Amino acid sequence: MTLELDDLRVRTLGECRYDSPFAEMLATKKTSPHYVHEDDRVLVDDTVSVLLGRGAPIERLPSLEAAGPRRKVYFDPAATSVGIVTCGGLCPGLNDVIRGIVQELTEHYHVAHIYGFRNGYAGLTRQHRERVVELDLHAVRDINNDGGTILGSSRGDQDAEEMVDTLVELGIDVLFVIGGDGSMRGAMKITKEIDARGLDVAVVGVPKTIDNDLPYTDQSFGFQTAFAQATEFIASVFVESQAAENGVGIVKLMGRHSGFIACYAALSNNDADVVLIPEVPFVLDGPDGLLARVEEHVRRHGQVVVVVAEGAGQELLEQEGRTTDASGNAKLGDIGLFLKEKLTEHLTEAGLPPTVRYLDPSYAIRSVAANAYDSVYCVRLAHAAVHAGMAGRTDTVVVRWRRRFVHIPMRLITSHRNQVDPDGDLWMSVLEATGQPASFGG
Ligand code: ATP
Ligand code: MG
């Protein structure tokens, strides 16, 4: 789908009439305020041939609204109450985002109340709404040193009317949703109910995906921490595989639909001999199949390391009895255990009885605290989200695109998935680093 400029315009609740409290702070310190101008936009494409091909004047080219502090804001800061909710699976950096939002709202906007909803959207339901916590600087101090989310999270569908009743009851003006594609769909459902009631409430999303599979974002927060952690596990099975006769190391990494973690982790330490991702189907048998490659590697080097993304090779697994989680996401078959079994069987038959070391470190990776790079990224995303909400942006998410923080309409973040391009330069780098063929039996 080719996007036009109008598809990229974000919604706003109305004219910004209140002076930003930044003005006072910056004036007294005699620093020059970094304000974003209303017409400050970032081009979606930066490839000259693509832009020329559009044949439109520059102001009509698809572009995104820059995020950041505005001179005027929509909500009267001192009379504003906000809510924060984290939903979906864990990802490094959730606490950094919560902390950044609370700090910005407290230190710079001096808002009236900041409420944290417990355990995802469940915390906005009638049953759990009394468990809401008031957040201040003390409550978020040091939380960035821990993984997970201090607010808790959950999956499962909740009633939009009930959730909006809660927002009304607490007098919330801006709801910040930190979560994945499902959470953003949930946020859109809440926005629809807010619109139906004609309420003046903004909903701003901070997209979360450890797999880096959401579009319109350079790299999602927590991704760098995740692949750095994954690298350590690959290094461990490499050492194990070297120490054993016919040593086979298998590491199953996150990546339900997109193999970015597997690719980056494999490139980072170069110990992987085979990388399998959902975007590139593979076959086991035949002269070009995976089993032949593994056998050849073990014969030649005495060991092999296979890195597999959890969503890879699903077409090879038994489809029967496949279930879904509470949010309706299909549960995947276990490709790691499947490979362990198949490689053991094949190498044994080939006269190379293997010693297999299999690691599935997903939970150990998801639950760590963000590294320094991701912490910086998270706090800046959090600031951008606060500025967006205070300026009355709604149905909007904040992302970083081409190294600039920008606003995009929420529906676009769920419109498709960011995936590794099997014909692109990242996959090419993986092939170069591992020496594996472009595909197995493809
Ligand atoms: P991740 O997949 O990265 O773990 P996610 O946000 O996609 O994160 P989900 O469990 O799918 O995780 O969704 C989180 C919350 O959003 C759940 O409470 C779920 O009910 C709600 N949600 C998911 N999909 C929808 C949808 N289509 N409409 C409304 N709400 C949804
Ligand atoms: Mg999801």
Side-chain angles (χ1 to χ4, degrees):
M1 185 181 79
T2 311
L3 289 174
E4 300 300 334
L5 180 58
D6 290 338
D7 300 322
L8 300 165
R9 292 196 193 282
V10 297
R11 269 182 62 196
T12 171
L13 291 174
E15 194 190 334
C16 292
R17 292 163 195 249
Y18 294 93
D19 282 334
S20 164
F22 268 53
E24 202 180 310
M25 176 193 88
L26 294 166
T28 51
K29 289 197 171 156
K30 298 207 181 348
T31 47
S32 98
H34 169 81
Y35 285 123
V36 172
H37 296 281
E38 292 301 337
D39 53 0
D40 191 358
R41 300 187 69 86
V42 177
L43 287 175
V44 173
D45 269 309
D46 64 358
T47 306
V48 174
S49 57
V50 172
L51 297 178
L52 288 173
R54 284 261 182 175
I58 194 159
E59 65 277 10
R60 290 300 310 163
L61 288 172
S63 61
L64 304 163
E65 182 176 79
R70 263 91 183 139
R71 206 173 282 276
K72 297 269 184 191
V73 294
Y74 179 76
F75 291 106
D76 174 7
T80 298
S81 292
V82 317
I84 307 175
V85 63
T86 51
C87 319
L90 295 185
C91 174
L94 287 167
N95 278 336
D96 300 71
V97 178
I98 296 169
R99 180 166 166 265
I101 291 176
V102 173
Q103 281 183 333
E104 187 71 9
L105 287 165
T106 311
E107 304 259 40
H108 291 141
Y109 285 100
H110 312 293
V111 298
H113 295 283
I114 308 171
Y115 298 108
F117 295 104
R118 302 302 313 274
N119 297 111
Y121 286 134
L124 277 106
T125 59
R126 193 171 301 119
Q127 193 190 349
H128 297 294
R129 77 176 63 135
E130 74 280 0
R131 293 181 59 210
V132 68
V133 286
E134 194 140 355
L135 297 172
D136 56 16
L137 290 179
H138 179 71
V140 298
R141 214 177 67 182
D142 297 340
I143 63 169
N144 52 313
N145 294 329
D146 295 321
T149 154
I150 54 157
L151 295 177
S153 187
S154 69
R155 300 194 188 274
D157 198 19
Q158 310 299 342
D159 181 63
E161 284 185 31
E162 240 186 78
M163 292 194 279
V164 174
D165 285 346
T166 301
L167 299 180
V168 172
E169 197 171 288
L170 291 169
I172 283 175
D173 302 292
V174 187
L175 176 67
F176 294 101
V177 178
I178 312 163
D181 56 334
S183 308
M184 295 306 141
R185 288 194 179 93
M188 286 190 283
K189 210 164 80 169
I190 292 173
T191 309
K192 211 168 150 196
E193 179 62 22
I194 288 169
D195 290 347
R197 296 193 199 181
L199 300 172
D200 209 21
V201 177
V203 180
V204 174
V206 181
K208 167 220 72 137
T209 158
I210 200 165
D211 295 349
N212 197 37
D213 59 357
L214 292 177
Y216 306 108
T217 174
D218 292 338
Q219 219 171 58
S220 52
F221 77 79
F223 170 71
Q224 198 195 75
T225 305
F227 81 72
Q229 279 290 117
T231 303
E232 311 269 323
F233 290 96
I234 299 175
S236 304
V237 295
F238 175 70
V239 171
E240 287 280 347
S241 72
Q242 273 201 318
E245 198 170 347
N246 304 325
V248 176
I250 305 173
V251 186
K252 186 176 82 169
L253 295 173
M254 291 90 83
R256 292 173 60 84
H257 306 281
S258 307
F260 288 104
I261 292 182
C263 289
Y264 273 75
L267 283 172
S268 151
N269 68 359
N270 227 348
D271 288 338
D273 305 301
V274 174
V275 177
L276 302 169
I277 59 172
E279 295 89 334
V280 183
F282 62 94
V283 300
L284 292 174
D285 302 312
D288 303 326
L290 174 70
L291 298 177
R293 153 85 177 166
V294 167
E295 181 188 329
E296 184 220 45
H297 202 281
V298 172
R299 270 192 207 288
R300 205 169 332 151
H301 303 282
Q303 56 82 239
V304 69
V305 170
V306 178
V307 171
V308 57
E310 62 185 324
Q314 291 298 305
E315 60 283 354
L316 302 175
L317 304 174
E318 191 60 62
Q319 296 292 324
E320 274 170 37
R322 202 55 66 77
T323 52
T324 57
D325 69 14
S327 294
N329 304 305
K331 284 195 179 167
L332 297 174
D334 195 329
I335 187 67
L337 288 177
F338 174 81
L339 286 180
K340 181 181 176 192
E341 199 183 294
K342 293 291 176 192
L343 297 188
T344 305
E345 204 178 277
H346 179 82
L347 291 171
T348 306
E349 276 172 20
L352 299 163
T355 305
V356 183
R357 298 284 181 249
Y358 171 57
L359 289 183
D360 177 358
S362 305
Y363 289 106
I365 293 175
R366 281 161 36 134
S367 57
V368 300
N371 66 13
Y373 174 91
D374 272 327
S375 289
V376 172
Y377 186 13
C378 287
V379 83
R380 297 195 67 200
L381 269 176
H383 293 171
V386 169
H387 297 314
M390 293 305 295
R393 299 303 188 266
T394 189
D395 214 3
T396 296
V397 299
V398 290
V399 296
R400 193 165 64 181
W401 184 245
R402 308 210 184 287
R403 308 199 64 76
R404 297 277 302 276
F405 290 91
V406 295
H407 299 158
I408 67 168
M410 204 173 265
R411 66 174 187 286
L412 290 184
I413 205 85
T414 59
S415 61
H416 63 280
R417 283 199 180 92
N418 183 32
Q419 288 192 302
V420 178
D421 178 359
D423 299 318
D425 63 334
L426 174 61
W427 186 239
M428 189 65 206
S429 294
V430 173
L431 299 182
E432 288 171 308
T434 58
Q436 76 186 66
S439 66
F440 292 107

XYZ file of all heavy atoms in Angstrom, residues 155 180-183 185 213 256 329, ligand 2:
72
model
N -2.924 -10.511 29.350
C -3.535 -10.676 28.038
C -5.032 -10.828 28.265
O -5.496 -10.800 29.396
C -2.970 -11.903 27.336
C -1.458 -11.826 27.117
C -1.006 -12.868 26.130
N 0.429 -12.956 26.044
C 1.189 -12.209 25.259
N 0.654 -11.294 24.476
N 2.496 -12.361 25.226
N 2.045 -4.008 22.699
C 2.278 -4.465 21.335
C 1.099 -4.227 20.408
O 0.223 -3.399 20.690
N 1.077 -4.978 19.325
C 0.025 -4.779 18.312
C -1.372 -4.987 18.908
O -2.291 -4.199 18.651
C 0.259 -5.711 17.112
C 0.335 -7.184 17.510
O 0.693 -7.467 18.672
O 0.032 -8.048 16.670
N -1.508 -6.041 19.734
C -2.807 -6.303 20.366
C -3.216 -5.143 21.263
O -4.375 -4.705 21.246
N -2.269 -4.634 22.030
C -2.557 -3.513 22.939
C -3.006 -2.280 22.161
O -3.877 -1.535 22.625
C -1.322 -3.151 23.750
O -0.795 -4.281 24.376
N -4.525 -2.335 19.287
C -5.897 -2.601 18.826
C -6.866 -2.329 19.983
O -7.933 -1.759 19.788
C -6.042 -4.036 18.325
C -5.336 -4.234 17.007
C -5.721 -5.540 16.309
N -4.999 -5.609 15.057
C -3.814 -6.207 14.902
N -3.240 -6.827 15.914
N -3.202 -6.186 13.740
N 9.054 -6.240 15.304
C 8.199 -6.568 14.154
C 7.111 -5.525 13.873
O 6.208 -5.796 13.090
C 7.569 -7.962 14.329
C 6.724 -8.079 15.591
O 6.667 -7.102 16.361
O 6.134 -9.147 15.800
N 8.259 -14.484 16.573
C 7.101 -15.267 16.125
C 6.902 -15.146 14.617
O 6.626 -16.121 13.932
C 5.829 -14.778 16.825
C 5.788 -15.065 18.313
C 4.579 -14.406 18.942
N 3.344 -14.890 18.350
C 2.712 -16.009 18.706
N 3.207 -16.744 19.671
N 1.595 -16.358 18.123
N -3.916 -14.958 20.168
C -2.735 -15.203 19.332
C -2.500 -16.710 19.236
O -2.555 -17.413 20.259
C -1.482 -14.558 19.952
C -1.647 -13.071 20.212
O -1.967 -12.309 19.305
N -1.446 -12.654 21.455
Mg 1.172 -9.165 19.795
